[in-house]
Amino acid sequence: EDQVTQSPEALRLQEGESSSLNCSYTVSGLRGLFWYRQDPGKGPEFLFTLYSAGEEKEKERLKATLTKKESFLHITAPKPEDSATYLCAVRGAQKLVFGQGTRLTINP
Amino acid sequence: SAVISQKPSRDICQRGTSLTIQCQVDSQVTMMFWYRQQPGQSLTLIATANQGSEATYESGFVIDKFPISRPNLTFSTLTVSNMSPEDSSIYLCSVVDGSTEAFFGQGTRLTVV
């Protein structure tokens, strides 16, 4: 069964303090690893798709990387507006399987 | 990416009643899905809405409780039937528009009292 585990559950940073979020996964035949951002009361917003180990993608202060067992979402010099829950998901043979998310808070 | 509109955005319902949630997409999409997100939890797939045929339900979800319609390639509904407080959740519509990325509506926040 496909599984996704995210850590930490919650992370509190000061503005400008860089860090990384982890997504560990097991899947039969990876067809994509996805990162989403979710603000309170809203649906997930698509950020990145990664398909193979070694792949990296960047968007503003965010960079996602992928290995055969895990993915990292690196956040560089975060701002308060980066505060949100970040969700990781994998697609195997069929459906998307989501992790529990990391609730990120950036204090000014 | 597809633009997804979900209605209602929120509702408070009495136990024993039913609520139908609508999902409208601004373009034809091959795959539409319905998810549930319970308070403080991640997303759980309820079913795949199939155009022109019965929905495909995940383990733990049944058609009598969550009937789904998909009359065309841009529209789907999810009904939450005979509601109880345990059904209080955010319900999300999702589409895959030809690539592998899934996009989500804004969700329907349901509270059952």
Side-chain angles (χ1 to χ4, degrees):
Chain A
E1 184 177 330
D2 300 343
Q3 286 192 323
V4 178
T5 303
Q6 290 187 247
S7 62
E9 289 187 12
L11 181 62
R12 190 178 293 270
L13 301 172
Q14 290 298 121
E15 183 173 1
E17 181 184 0
S18 301
S19 188
S20 297
L21 313 183
N22 178 263
C23 171
S24 298
Y25 66 92
T26 55
V27 64
S28 299
L30 180 68
R31 294 174 59 193
L33 183 141
F34 307 86
W35 283 97
Y36 291 86
R37 168 189 171 132
Q38 187 174 28
D39 293 300
K42 295 190 175 182
E45 174 190 348
F46 171 76
L47 293 174
F48 302 109
T49 308
L50 301 167
Y51 292 101
S52 57
E55 190 174 358
E56 299 183 353
K57 289 200 177 166
E58 287 189 65
K59 179 180 180 179
E60 296 180 357
R61 295 177 292 281
L62 298 176
K63 182 168 83 171
T65 62
L66 182 65
T67 72
K68 288 186 178 180
K69 294 183 179 180
E70 58 191 350
S71 176
F72 292 94
L73 185 65
H74 307 277
I75 183 161
T76 302
K79 299 181 178 181
E81 54 261 42
D82 295 320
S83 297
T85 295
Y86 290 85
L87 298 168
C88 173
V90 295
R91 185 187 303 282
Q94 296 179 350
K95 64 180 181 180
L96 271 180
V97 175
F98 281 83
Q100 293 296 100
T102 293
R103 189 172 63 255
L104 177 65
T105 304
I106 308 299
N107 295 318
Chain B
S1 63
V3 176
I4 305 165
S5 301
Q6 238 183 278
K7 289 194 283 189
S9 58
R10 59 177 61 221
D11 207 341
I12 300 173
C13 300
Q14 296 290 322
R15 66 176 66 201
T17 63
S18 298
L19 176 71
T20 296
I21 302 167
Q22 298 180 2
C23 178
Q24 178 74 54
V25 189
D26 69 341
S27 59
Q28 293 185 344
V29 293
T30 53
M31 305 188 77
M32 296 180 75
F33 306 89
W34 288 97
Y35 287 82
R36 181 174 73 182
Q37 188 173 29
Q38 294 179 301
Q41 303 295 313
S42 191
L43 281 72
T44 301
L45 181 64
I46 297 171
T48 302
N50 300 310
Q51 194 266 327
S53 64
E54 197 169 279
T56 305
Y57 289 85
E58 296 298 309
S59 176
F61 298 96
V62 295
I63 188 171
D64 290 346
K65 177 68 175 177
F66 298 102
I68 288 170
S69 78
R70 189 173 175 196
N72 56 52
L73 293 176
T74 65
F75 185 78
S76 178
T77 66
L78 168 75
T79 299
V80 186
S81 303
N82 187 25
M83 289 183 285
S84 66
E86 292 71 37
D87 294 318
S88 297
S89 291
I90 298 173
Y91 292 86
L92 293 153
C93 172
S94 173
V95 305
V96 175
D97 66 352
S99 60
T100 57
E101 288 88 4
F103 299 95
F104 289 83
Q106 289 299 294
T108 296
R109 183 181 293 273
L110 171 62
T111 303
V112 184
V113 298

